[in-house]
Amino acid sequence: VAANLVVGRPLQMLPRSVAPSRAIVIGGGVAGVSIARELARKGVGVTLLEKAGQLCAGATWHAAGLVTRFGGSPKIKKVHVRALREMTALHEAHDIGLHITGSIRLIEKGNPDRLTEAKQHVAMAALYDDPGLPTTLITPEEVAALHPLVDTSGVDAGVFTPRDGDVDPTLLTTCVAGLAKADGAEFVHNAEVETIERRSDGTFEVRTGAGAVFEADAVVNAAGLWSRRFSRQLGLEQTHPAFVIEHQYAITETIPALKGKVGDGERVPVLRDLAGSSYIRQERDGLLVGPYEGLLSPGEQTKVRTEWAEGPPSHFAFDLFPPSLDRLEGCLLSAMSVVPALGEVGFKSIVNGPTIWTGDSLARCGRTRLPGYYDFNSLTYGVAQSLALAEYLGHIITEGEQPYDMATEFDPLRYGGWATPEYTAAKVLETYSHNNAISYPQESRPAGRDVVAKSDAHRALQATLASHGAVFSFSNAGVEVPLVFLPGGAGGAPLDLKTFASHAWAPLAEEEAQHLLRAVGLGFASFSKMRVRSGASDAASRLLERVTTNSLPKRAGRTRLSYASTSAGNILAEFTVTRTGTDGDGSHDFYLCASRDYAQHDLAWLEQQRALLEEAGLVEAGAVELVDCTDEVEILHVAGPSAQALMHALCPEAASVPFLQMRNLRVCGVEAAVFRISFTGEAGYELHVSAEDAAPLFDQILRSDKARALGCRPFGSAAVNALRVEKGFKVKADLDFAHWSEAGVDAFIPDARKHKVLPFLGKDAPAPLGSEQGGRLAAIFDVATDEAHAWSVLGDSPIRDATGRVVGFTTTSARGAITGRTIALGYVKRGESGAPLALAGDAGLTLESLGQIWPVELLSRPPVEVGGKPRP
């Protein structure tokens, strides 16, 4: 206890962060002025530096200005809803040229998968729709009533989002800039930033080409088209894979049916011609058509400006590219078939402007590995998202953590050195051309995967897994992870992953899971790995005691599952924490494993928390070393009732390793950290070996006499899901940034950590109450699907009570290997009183996913115990 107190002050009393007193924002587009305003109204002194003589240079000034409440995922929708809500308020107060028309996504006839996807979008929208503004599926007749110019003969349905529309980007930006100035922000024009330097005291010096010097505690890179210049300058280029591309839209001459109909209530809704990959909105008394070319005519792709490694030339502020109408032919012909009036008039102008895209088309918004330096750039949909993302980033800058979790979507650290320029260029082209293509749950699109940066060891491991028949999913860490293995190895027929139901891989996953229940299997586990160490100093223990919920293992080789909580009490990450060294050596050295996709995000969080302890004088500066060893170590996973027999044959000492312990041993002559642990919840081991040894060891184990005798076979991630979900084992997606008291992790928070004397970070932060504030409780559901949809309950599928009220949602699901039922993890919402909106045993609960509605039972506990025993 004494180790966690400083003059009677518990660690919980440390400040969450120190908000900067001065910040420099680089860039005067819509993103830059939005974050300038957000910081200024929070009391931060802001100086915005703009290279041009006026705002909106680069990509903002020529943007089409679309704004929407629609989102392909609930989290994206959450951002869009918040942004449009704020934009509407601005328009009512200042008139920013916002046209509220609603929008319709057109679902073409003869494409049942498109309709299925649309139904899922409508279902998910219920989780974040504004009350009274539901997203709905409408009939062709309703489409025609809303938009008389649409020829509905080829339309099956439409997804209608009310109160969408478009805004004048310049008026919006100018308005927000004025508000920022009113709150004290200073705007400096003709101030092109030349260099950024972080001083030894943590402050920044920003120097312009004219020689002016500005100082600040924090810098926000909102430089848009030129943002990569500063990432390269500061050594952060690996996390900034993005390129400037060309995006065109065409504006028609006057369309007679629209002449004079430009007022509120007269304008036609925005259309998304999904089959033709274009948006179509009213522009005065004509129409504006913006295609995402490439899918209809693969030979006519947009141009990726790979030669502009640091952005366009300096003078390229209000410039455009020459029009290239031929590239748009396929998209425009489709648009004309949807809106015949387009073919009856000419185009009076073609705008071909620069924009900047990442490989996933999502913005970079958040902290970086350089303390005090933040990214807010590469916004493909900057006009639609900047207001909400500025609020999000402003909270990170001033409070030290995000108000809600968008790490998967927007965190700059989601990318790393694996994303080579070749990968990025290929992926940008693919993502741009597939902007309106159907997205399938298990589909991993191919572009760029063959040019990801890999070591020889990782290429060898991938080749070895492939030789055994691995069907890969591409992870956000640039790693190929086996979903299932084809019978007969690499010679098996390829699987079609573009399915919503009756998945070709599902029978393979089920057979692999059944095999793990009766024999033994070998898999590849893709986790992050990092070392947190301070030697004889107890600094590493102090850090981990502060930021994780469980007690630390006291003896070398012991492992515990723990969770990292923010100061607001939200679960940020899950770690297995192992004490390394040897008993009695007095060392405070630990080995942590977590989600590989979030390795850099988690490391940056630990670095931030270490800095806070150092500033408070609770640990000596430099005493705690944080080392990312994710790519240096790989994990092989042995699981099943015969796992112990197999390990005994491979390494007799391994068979005697106790549960949740680790020993450093030699397996088949290879040095390995052998853990008695398995994410399947069945008997098993993890073998943590050097990346160079992973491929040969995988082969050696499978080809060993004992493995053959026991029938050992490879298994993929889908089989693991079949075993873990029905036992209630969570992955990152299941934590969902929930408050620690709501996330279902209480078993990993001992009473001592809940005590006032030895709390963890965020322990005393109140949980949100009421569904509007995000209050919820972890839950597990039994979903009565049919056979075709047993593996088709998607995350973020709403759960309703008998009255139709949304009372919960799912996070992950799988067909249980033991129960044979579709089991889903997720959450039940809480009412204003804090009581859950649904209870175990409630009748009439249903779940909607992929256009299907299934009966649901809310369970009081997981249906299978750890170890595989079904509960009655």
Side-chain angles (χ1 to χ4, degrees), residues 359-494:
D360 56 13
S361 81
L362 299 175
R364 302 177 64 257
C365 176
R367 66 169 60 86
T368 70
R369 292 287 301 279
L370 187 64
Y373 182 81
Y374 302 88
D375 272 319
F376 191 28
N377 52 62
S378 310
L379 280 84
T380 301
Y381 309 106
V383 174
Q385 296 176 346
S386 284
L387 292 177
L389 287 183
E391 174 192 41
Y392 177 82
L393 180 58
H395 200 280
I396 293 173
I397 294 172
T398 59
E399 301 293 329
E401 61 193 52
Q402 57 265 50
Y404 48 92
D405 191 32
M406 300 295 293
T408 301
E409 290 79 8
F410 297 122
D411 197 300
L413 299 176
R414 69 186 185 272
Y415 284 111
W418 57 268
T420 62
E422 295 79 12
Y423 165 86
T424 303
K427 189 57 72 175
V428 165
L429 272 179
E430 181 185 62
T431 302
Y432 182 88
S433 64
H434 285 67
N435 186 269
N436 290 301
I438 299 168
S439 180
Y440 296 93
Q442 294 296 337
E443 178 188 14
S444 291
R445 291 175 180 158
R449 290 165 66 175
D450 58 336
V451 289
V452 165
K454 289 187 177 77
S455 66
D456 290 343
H458 288 97
R459 292 189 186 282
L461 178 58
Q462 183 178 333
T464 295
L465 296 171
S467 72
H468 291 283
V471 176
F472 291 108
S473 293
F474 186 69
S475 80
N476 286 346
V479 177
E480 301 282 355
V481 179
L483 174 69
V484 294
F485 285 81
L486 296 170

Side-chain angles (χ1 to χ4, degrees), residues 68-81:
T68 181
R69 285 179 165 82
F70 180 86
S73 74
K75 289 185 177 180
I76 299 294
K77 181 177 179 63
K78 183 176 185 175
V79 167
H80 289 173
V81 167

Side-chain angles (χ1 to χ4, degrees), residues 155-179:
V155 174
D156 195 13
V159 176
F160 179 61
T161 309
R163 298 192 65 77
D164 280 10
D166 64 274
V167 70
D168 185 314
T170 299
L171 288 180
L172 169 64
T173 303
T174 303
C175 173
V176 176
L179 295 173

Side-chain angles (χ1 to χ4, degrees), residues 721-790:
N721 287 336
L723 291 161
R724 67 139 185 116
V725 171
E726 62 186 1
K727 299 182 182 77
F729 286 14
K730 299 176 185 292
V731 294
K732 169 83 171 182
D734 298 312
L735 300 173
D736 199 42
F737 207 58
H739 191 272
W740 66 265
S741 65
E742 300 177 332
V745 299
D746 201 61
F748 305 98
I749 309 177
D751 289 342
R753 300 309 316 275
K754 298 176 184 176
H755 193 275
K756 292 282 186 184
V757 178
L758 193 61
F760 54 87
L761 182 66
K763 195 276 292 184
D764 293 325
L769 292 179
S771 58
E772 290 300 309
Q773 289 73 43
R776 66 271 185 69
L777 291 171
I780 187 165
F781 307 97
D782 185 329
V783 188
T785 70
D786 62 12
E787 181 70 19
H789 292 84

Side-chain angles (χ1 to χ4, degrees), residues 106-158:
L106 298 176
I107 313 303
E108 71 273 22
K109 286 183 177 177
N111 193 341
D113 281 1
R114 178 86 73 189
L115 184 60
T116 296
E117 181 185 50
K119 290 178 178 178
Q120 181 65 13
H121 284 155
V122 171
M124 291 192 301
L127 298 177
Y128 287 117
D129 264 332
D130 275 328
L133 296 174
T135 301
T136 54
L137 195 69
I138 60 177
T139 65
E141 292 75 21
E142 290 171 311
V143 171
L146 289 166
H147 200 310
L149 298 183
V150 175
D151 178 356
T152 59
S153 62
V155 174
D156 195 13

